[in-house]
Amino acid sequence: MGKFMIRQTPTGFVFHLKASNGETIANSEVYASLTSCRNGIKSVMTNAPIANLENQTDDSSPRCACPKFEVYTAKNGEFRFRLKARNGQNIAASEGYTTEKACLNGIDSVRRNAADAQIVMEE
């Protein structure tokens, strides 16, 4: 089972979704309050399992409605994804992957781990 790890930063709160093996599979933006960070987690839990997949690295791939995972290539050539909620807001993002297949596996991991993940406050 996955875990959402909440951490306080000097400017607010962030969360990291970790797979059952402890690997980080998604990160949040910085939220101004703990409540808004927890709301972001709830949005990931709700949207990740049902999100469409839009592969922006493939010009023939259709554009999708939100909620959706967007796969894209970063400036450094790595594959990344971001999860957008129904309202189009970014609610989670990945780290870089060297292959598209690994990036798609990361999305599958978010789908599997987010819905019933524990929420833990880092100390």
Side-chain angles (χ1 to χ4, degrees):
M1 175 166 44
K3 287 185 185 177
F4 284 99
M5 304 296 294
I6 299 174
R7 182 171 51 86
Q8 187 168 9
T9 71
T11 57
F13 295 86
V14 297
F15 67 78
H16 307 284
L17 175 57
K18 296 195 177 263
S20 56
N21 65 3
E23 292 291 319
T24 299
I25 51 177
N27 302 295
S28 74
E29 62 183 32
V30 177
Y31 292 94
S33 71
L34 181 56
T35 298
S36 59
C37 185
R38 287 184 179 274
N39 287 339
I41 289 170
K42 287 178 187 173
S43 185
V44 172
M45 293 173 100
T46 300
N47 288 292
I50 61 168
N52 294 306
L53 177 62
E54 180 177 296
N55 189 343
Q56 297 178 348
T57 67
D58 179 358
D59 290 338
S60 65
S61 180
R63 298 304 174 230
C64 301
C66 293
K68 65 182 173 180
F69 284 97
E70 292 178 339
V71 176
Y72 65 99
T73 307
K75 290 179 184 177
N76 64 0
E78 292 180 324
F79 292 90
R80 294 179 178 260
F81 67 80
R82 59 187 153 240
L83 174 58
K84 292 191 168 192
R86 289 184 191 272
N87 64 5
Q89 293 289 335
N90 288 334
I91 53 175
S94 73
E95 297 177 356
Y97 294 92
T98 55
T99 67
E100 181 179 1
K101 182 174 180 3
C103 186
L104 294 173
N105 288 341
I107 290 170
D108 287 340
S109 185
V110 172
R111 289 184 196 277
R112 286 191 316 273
N113 285 282
D116 60 356
Q118 283 183 293
I119 300 172
V120 178
M121 190 76 187
E122 285 185 17
E123 308 226 356

